[in-house]
Amino acid sequence: MCRLASFFHNPATGDVVVGVLDHHQATVEKLKLDQKIWREGHYLPDGTIEARVQDNDRVTQDECNERIRNRWPSFGKFLSWALREIEQNEVYPGPLDLSGLTSAKDLVLPKTISGGLYLSGLTSAKDLVLPKTISGGLDLRGLTSAKDLVLPKTISGWLDLRGLTSAKDLVLPKTISGGLDLSGLSYDEKKKLGL
C-alpha cells in the first residue's frame, strides 16, 4: 500500500493519471502503464507533492511538483479530481485516511465511505461536508469546537470527538453503532447532551 493519494505522471508531457489511490502497483496493472514512461508520485493531505523523476528525465522533481500544484493548488482539489477519475466520487470502497489534512477547503468527499474516515488533523469544521454514510468510524479528534459541524444521521462505527471542550453547537447522530469519545467534555457539558 502507498500513501494517499498516489498517482503516476509523465515528466515529458506533464500528464497525470490515477487508478488506485493508495497503491502504485495496482494502478500500473489497472491502467497497463509502461513504467519506462510513467513515474510514481503522491499528493499528500498536508499539501506535500512528491512527483518522482529519474536521472535521465529532462525535468526536475521540483518542476514536476510545480506543474501539478499549478493544476491542483490544494489537496482537496486533487482528491476531488482523482475520485471522479476513478469513479469513486459517489462510493469509496474502504477507509479514507486524510489525517494529515488541516483544512477542509476544496474538499469534496464521496457520498458514501465503506470504511472509516480519518480527519484527525482538522481543528475546525469550516467547509467540511461529511458523507451521508460512513460504514466505519469517524475520527474528528482534532476539532476543538462543534461550530459548522454537521454529522451524518448514522455512523456505523465509532465517533471520536475527544478534542471538543464545549458541547455548544454539537448535534450528535441519531445512531452511533460503535463507541463515542467525548473525553474532552466536562461532566456538565455531557449532561447538556443528555449523556
Side-chain angles (χ1 to χ4, degrees):
M1 299 300 260
C2 297
R3 293 179 292 167
L4 189 74
S6 68
F7 61 84
F8 276 87
H9 71 106
N10 182 331
T13 64
D15 292 338
V16 177
V17 295
V18 292
V20 179
L21 286 182
D22 61 354
H23 203 287
H24 281 120
Q25 190 55 42
T27 295
V28 168
E29 292 166 11
K30 182 177 181 179
L31 301 179
K32 298 176 177 43
L33 296 179
D34 180 350
Q35 290 185 278
K36 293 177 186 162
I37 299 169
W38 294 94
R39 309 289 182 254
E40 294 179 356
H42 295 103
Y43 203 136
L44 304 177
D46 69 4
T48 302
I49 299 173
E50 300 170 343
R52 298 178 187 145
V53 295
Q54 294 178 355
D55 291 341
N56 60 337
D57 291 326
R58 294 182 179 203
V59 291
T60 67
Q61 180 169 329
D62 287 342
E63 290 169 320
C64 292
N65 292 348
E66 186 177 340
R67 270 192 224 164
I68 291 167
R69 182 150 338 265
N70 287 338
R71 188 167 172 194
W72 299 285
S74 69
F75 173 80
K77 286 186 182 284
F78 180 83
L79 182 66
S80 297
W81 167 81
L83 288 168
R84 283 191 310 277
E85 284 291 301
I86 61 174
E87 298 178 350
Q88 292 177 348
N89 54 322
E90 294 293 321
V91 178
Y92 189 77
L96 197 52
D97 186 354
L98 305 177
S99 54
L101 194 67
T102 57
S103 168
K105 187 173 189 286
D106 301 323
L107 182 66
V108 179
L109 292 167
K111 291 182 173 65
T112 298
I113 295 180
S114 300
L117 176 57
Y118 302 89
L119 293 164
S120 60
L122 294 180
T123 56
S124 164
K126 185 174 190 255
D127 300 317
L128 179 62
V129 178
L130 290 167
K132 291 183 187 221
T133 305
I134 300 172
S135 298
L138 175 57
D139 186 347
L140 291 167
R141 74 178 79 178
L143 293 184
T144 56
S145 162
K147 184 176 187 239
D148 300 319
L149 179 62
V150 178
L151 293 165
K153 290 186 172 99
T154 300
I155 296 178
S156 300
W158 43 264
L159 175 58
D160 190 340
L161 292 167
R162 72 180 85 170
L164 296 182
T165 56
S166 167
K168 184 178 183 219
D169 301 318
L170 180 59
V171 178
L172 290 170
K174 291 187 188 311
T175 305
I176 301 171
S177 300
L180 172 62
D181 190 340
L182 291 168
S183 57
L185 296 182
S186 68
Y187 175 77
D188 290 337
E189 291 289 315
K190 289 178 187 173
K191 267 179 69 175
K192 289 178 189 174
L193 294 169
L195 300 174

